[in-house]
Amino acid sequence: MIHASLVCQGCSGTLYAVSTQGGGASLPTWKVDHDHTPVACPVRPLLPLGGTAVHIQELPHAGHVLTQLA
């Protein structure tokens, strides 16, 4: 599943989020990163976000990288 467009807090660039679930895993596995990596994004070292969680807001460092979802 591909998540709706997200915005990076550091550079206001567009992020993508992809989740996969399978093999009996109870939680989806996420990957969140810039669509096009900007040269100067202050949160670039935190990306890509990844891991298992019900929602992307629960990933480590998500509060520092993702703008608030509507």
Side-chain angles (χ1 to χ4, degrees):
M1 170 163 95
I2 299 176
H3 198 277
S5 291
L6 301 168
V7 177
C8 177
Q9 281 189 38
C11 66
S12 298
T14 303
L15 301 170
Y16 70 86
V18 177
S19 69
T20 57
Q21 190 167 5
S26 60
L27 297 175
T29 300
W30 292 93
K31 180 180 179 187
V32 180
D33 205 350
H34 286 107
D35 276 338
H36 303 284
T37 305
V39 175
C41 176
V43 298
R44 186 175 178 185
L46 300 175
L47 292 166
L49 297 180
T52 57
V54 172
H55 192 270
I56 57 174
Q57 295 287 30
E58 298 171 0
L59 293 173
H61 307 294
H64 299 289
V65 174
L66 306 174
T67 57
Q68 294 297 319
L69 297 175

